[in-house]
Amino acid sequence: MTTASIEFEIPSKFPAESVFKVFKNFPDLAPKVNPQVFKSIELVEGDGGVGSIRLFTFGDAVPFTSGKFKHDVIDASTFTFNFTFFEGDCLMGILDSINHHVKIVPSANGGCVFKQTVIYNCKGDEKPSAEVLKLEKELYLKTYNAIEAYAAAHPEVA
């Protein structure tokens, strides 16, 4: 099995605890702040914790319509989220799954660094194109910035 991956880091002035809390609410916030990418994110199984399954319905800015993912890790003590897309056209017909690893690392200045690694697990030798990987990375960065801006304007969510 072949893999492809993207990684990015975004420094934040907000404490790791606040960023973790905000991103724990990603399913509610993402469609509000970036509806071009996320039409809806629905809980289809579980209570929203580890093992729960959600259905993403993507917006017009994305070349996919849907994807299901499972929460693998939600750890407030290490500010870590891991989740896996396992179904939907977001797998592009060439992927078995897409693993997301998010770690929010406290900084000495009281802020933090949001780190995300996305691993595309391919069925065979074909990988997502460089253009697709670039688009996805741009969408992740745009969504992070929109959610952080929303949280800054609405401190009650953090």
Side-chain angles (χ1 to χ4, degrees):
M1 177 169 42
T2 307
T3 62
S5 64
I6 56 175
E7 295 182 56
F8 59 90
E9 296 184 5
I10 304 171
S12 175
K13 64 182 179 181
F14 297 102
E17 297 86 359
S18 296
V19 173
F20 182 84
K21 183 178 175 187
V22 168
F23 274 85
K24 195 170 177 189
N25 293 322
F26 184 90
D28 296 323
L29 295 177
K32 287 180 188 175
V33 303
N34 202 352
Q36 311 90 315
V37 175
F38 305 101
K39 280 187 182 176
S40 66
I41 303 173
E42 302 170 47
L43 183 64
V44 294
E45 184 178 312
D47 61 4
V50 172
S52 295
I53 296 174
R54 293 192 184 267
L55 172 65
F56 274 51
T57 302
F58 295 106
D60 296 335
V62 181
F64 319 116
T65 59
S66 67
K68 280 188 180 176
F69 83 84
K70 180 178 180 180
H71 291 280
D72 301 316
V73 174
I74 302 172
D75 188 338
S77 67
T78 60
F79 309 119
T80 304
F81 294 100
N82 293 344
F83 55 95
T84 302
F85 277 93
F86 63 90
E87 185 179 296
D89 63 347
C90 65
L91 299 177
M92 300 175 266
I94 61 170
L95 302 173
D96 282 324
S97 61
I98 306 169
N99 302 108
H100 292 255
H101 304 277
V102 175
K103 175 93 172 143
I104 302 162
V105 181
S107 299
N109 66 0
C112 67
V113 178
F114 180 93
K115 298 180 178 188
Q116 185 165 357
T117 301
V118 183
I119 301 169
Y120 300 82
N121 300 299
C122 307
K123 290 179 180 179
D125 293 333
E126 187 178 1
K127 295 181 180 183
S129 69
E131 294 81 24
V132 167
L133 296 177
K134 181 180 180 222
L135 170 69
E136 290 210 353
K137 186 173 183 176
E138 289 170 358
L139 292 174
Y140 294 134
L141 292 168
K142 180 180 178 182
T143 300
Y144 175 88
N145 290 326
I147 288 175
E148 187 173 86
Y150 182 88
H154 300 88
E156 69 278 3
V157 300

